[in-house]
């Protein structure tokens, strides 16, 4: 009888633990659903950068924070806030599992079904294998599920260029910002040389277009633009995949092209930027935003890029969807 009582007690404990895990309280987003955030300027347009969400999707206790930020954004759009697009800087998952991709798709879709939304691949969005030096090698670029789970209808209807038909690893999406279309070019993690050649040709062929180039790895948190020994180099070097270091991306797409108004990346945390001098003497910013190291996987934070059509400036700020506060105002740059 004692043995039976013991097993009943264990079963009861497992049920309680399971119920407790499934009933994790979701944080409230700011403001309430009946309001619109007062910080939006109706005469300007906004681009939302979410940053790496891998720690959101990998841990169930963090998913409520991701969901809260997407609910806040969806509510703002429904309330006629001038939000025109949303970008994810890679590492949409932590381990490229189908379960994590499904979680990403389900939560991101809350807002992505309302505005053009584009995600680039991060190194965590591929299958890894260890080599003798303990590097996590990516042996197959096609192992990512990015196209399957991030091809939101709002993206497909706004595509203007693709590197490979039927894939979204390397594409250009148009977004109406500041009274004109701005073209967001999203490139695969550690782009292959042939992809950089395609991207440079696209930019050169349309000098009248303004481009934002997004790829996962560019800056370190100390503002170093990585020239050698990047994660891309380490994870692709022993395979026949082809890769580039971040400095190669700048040399191919930033240095020669004055119509690239900014670069955007994630990978390293948390937030910084660096000005780079172009061939024509002007400067272009590289902006880093990555949520993964924050509490709760990201704490419901978003980065707002505000396009001012009068001053012809972009103002970049970080915002909390849980408190309604502007957390920092790191950068303004011309377009």
């Amino acid at each position: 009888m004692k043995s039976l009582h013991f097993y009943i007690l264990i079963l009861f404990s497992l049920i309680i633990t399971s119920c407790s895990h499934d009933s994790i309280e979701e944080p409230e987003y700011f403001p309430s659903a009946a309001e619109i955030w007062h910080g939006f300027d109706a005469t300007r347009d906004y681009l939302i950068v979410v940053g790496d969400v891998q720690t959101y999707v990998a841990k169930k206790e963090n998913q409520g924070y991701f969901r809260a930020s997407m609910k806040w954004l969806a509510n703002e759009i429904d309330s006629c806030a001038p939000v025109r697009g949303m970008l994810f800087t890679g590492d949409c998952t932590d381990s490229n599992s189908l379960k994590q991709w499904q979680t990403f798709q389900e939560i991101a879709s809350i807002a992505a079904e309302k505005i053009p939304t584009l995600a680039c691949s991060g190194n965590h969005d591929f299958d890894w294998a260890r080599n003798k030096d303990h590097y996590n090698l990516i042996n197959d670029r096609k192992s990512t599920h990015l196209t399957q789970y991030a091809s939101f209808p709002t993206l497909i209807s706004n595509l203007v260029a693709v590197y490979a038909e039927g894939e979204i690893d390397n594409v250009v999406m148009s977004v109406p910002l500041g009274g004109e279309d701005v073209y967001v070019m999203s490139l695969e993690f550690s782009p292959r040389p042939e992809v950089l050649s395609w991207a440079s040709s696209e930019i050169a062929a349309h000098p009248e277009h303004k481009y934002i180039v997004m790829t996962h790895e560019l800056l370190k948190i100390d503002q170093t633009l990585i020239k050698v020994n990047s994660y891309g180099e380490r994870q692709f070097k022993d395979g026949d995949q082809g890769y580039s270091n971040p400095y190669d991306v700048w040399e191919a797409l930033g240095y020669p092209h004055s119509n690239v108004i900014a670069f955007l990346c994630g990978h390293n945390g948390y937030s910084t930027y660096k000005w780079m001098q172009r061939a024509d003497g002007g400067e272009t910013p590289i902006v880093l935003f990555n949520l993964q190291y924050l509490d709760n996987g990201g704490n419901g934070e978003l980065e707002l890029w505000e396009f001012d059509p009068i001053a012809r400036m972009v103002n970049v700020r970080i915002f909390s969807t849980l408190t309604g506060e502007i957390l920092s105002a790191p950068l303004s740059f011309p377009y």
Side-chain angles (χ1 to χ4, degrees), residues 45-56:
D45 291 325
Y46 293 81
L47 184 65
I48 302 296
V49 177
V50 187
D52 303 25
V53 295
Q54 64 195 81
T55 317
Y56 272 155

Side-chain angles (χ1 to χ4, degrees), residues 200 203 213 225 246-260 263 276-284 286:
S200 183
I203 295 168
V213 176
L225 180 63
Y247 195 80
D248 303 325
V249 177
W250 166 256
E251 285 285 284
L253 307 181
Y255 183 73
H257 298 301
S258 60
N259 57 330
V260 175
F263 285 78
M276 297 291 295
Q277 189 171 53
R278 302 188 304 265
D280 67 356
E283 290 186 314
T284 303
I286 301 176

Side-chain angles (χ1 to χ4, degrees), residues 186-202:
S186 177
L187 301 179
E188 64 193 14
F189 169 59
S190 188
R192 291 163 288 172
E194 58 266 34
V195 169
L196 289 184
S197 179
W198 167 81
S200 183
S201 296
E202 279 291 320

Side-chain angles (χ1 to χ4, degrees), residues 217-220 224-230 245-247 268:
E217 182 186 21
L218 289 175
L219 283 186
K220 291 183 177 180
T224 300
L225 180 63
I226 306 164
K227 288 189 175 184
V228 294
N229 200 32
S230 65
N245 281 309
Y247 195 80
N268 294 303

Side-chain angles (χ1 to χ4, degrees), residues 10-238:
I10 292 296
L11 178 61
F12 181 74
S13 299
L14 289 173
I15 292 172
I16 293 297
T17 302
S18 174
C19 291
S20 173
H21 182 71
D22 288 340
S23 59
I24 295 171
E25 186 174 351
E26 183 171 314
E28 294 290 332
Y29 63 92
F30 179 93
S32 70
E35 299 173 324
I36 185 169
W37 180 53
H38 62 82
F40 285 123
D41 185 330
T43 68
R44 301 175 182 182
D45 291 325
Y46 293 81
L47 184 65
I48 302 296
V49 177
V50 187
D52 303 25
V53 295
Q54 64 195 81
T55 317
Y56 272 155
V57 302
K59 296 184 178 180
K60 188 167 185 178
E61 63 269 27
N62 291 341
Q63 290 169 15
Y65 289 84
F66 186 15
R67 186 172 284 105
S69 63
M70 293 296 98
K71 284 184 175 180
W72 174 86
L73 183 54
N75 175 70
E76 296 302 306
I77 296 165
D78 288 342
S79 301
C80 299
V83 178
R84 310 305 181 198
M86 177 167 63
L87 306 177
F88 290 87
T89 59
D91 283 354
C92 302
T93 68
D94 192 51
S95 63
N96 196 40
S97 71
L98 292 180
K99 182 178 180 181
Q100 290 182 10
W101 276 110
Q102 289 162 356
T103 298
F104 167 77
Q105 183 185 57
E106 181 265 316
I107 299 176
S109 291
I110 295 170
E113 66 181 15
K114 300 175 183 292
I115 51 173
T117 299
L118 181 56
C120 67
S121 57
N123 57 316
H124 282 259
D125 298 325
F126 297 86
D127 292 339
W128 289 357
R130 293 271 183 158
N131 75 349
K132 58 182 174 58
D133 297 318
H134 306 294
Y135 289 133
N136 294 311
L137 295 179
I138 300 170
N139 292 320
D140 186 2
R141 284 189 178 271
K142 292 188 179 298
S143 64
T144 180
H145 304 291
L146 180 76
T147 295
Q148 182 180 359
Y149 289 99
S151 293
F152 303 105
T154 52
L155 162 63
I156 302 306
S157 61
N158 286 275
L159 284 180
V160 296
V162 297
Y163 175 71
E165 204 64 39
E167 298 178 359
I168 65 165
D169 305 76
N170 301 287
V171 298
V172 180
M173 176 182 77
S174 65
V175 184
L177 294 164
E180 63 183 282
D181 283 340
V182 173
Y183 295 83
V184 181
M185 175 176 281
S186 177
L187 301 179
E188 64 193 14
F189 169 59
S190 188
R192 291 163 288 172
E194 58 266 34
V195 169
L196 289 184
S197 179
W198 167 81
S200 183
S201 296
E202 279 291 320
I203 295 168
H206 302 285
E208 74 282 7
H209 291 175
K210 301 294 189 296
Y211 287 89
I212 296 169
V213 176
M214 176 172 68
T215 192
H216 183 60
E217 182 186 21
L218 289 175
L219 283 186
K220 291 183 177 180
I221 194 59
D222 64 1
Q223 300 181 319
T224 300
L225 180 63
I226 306 164
K227 288 189 175 184
V228 294
N229 200 32
S230 65
Y231 267 73
E233 178 179 332
R234 283 181 277 168
Q235 293 190 271
F236 286 122
K237 67 184 295 184
D238 287 352

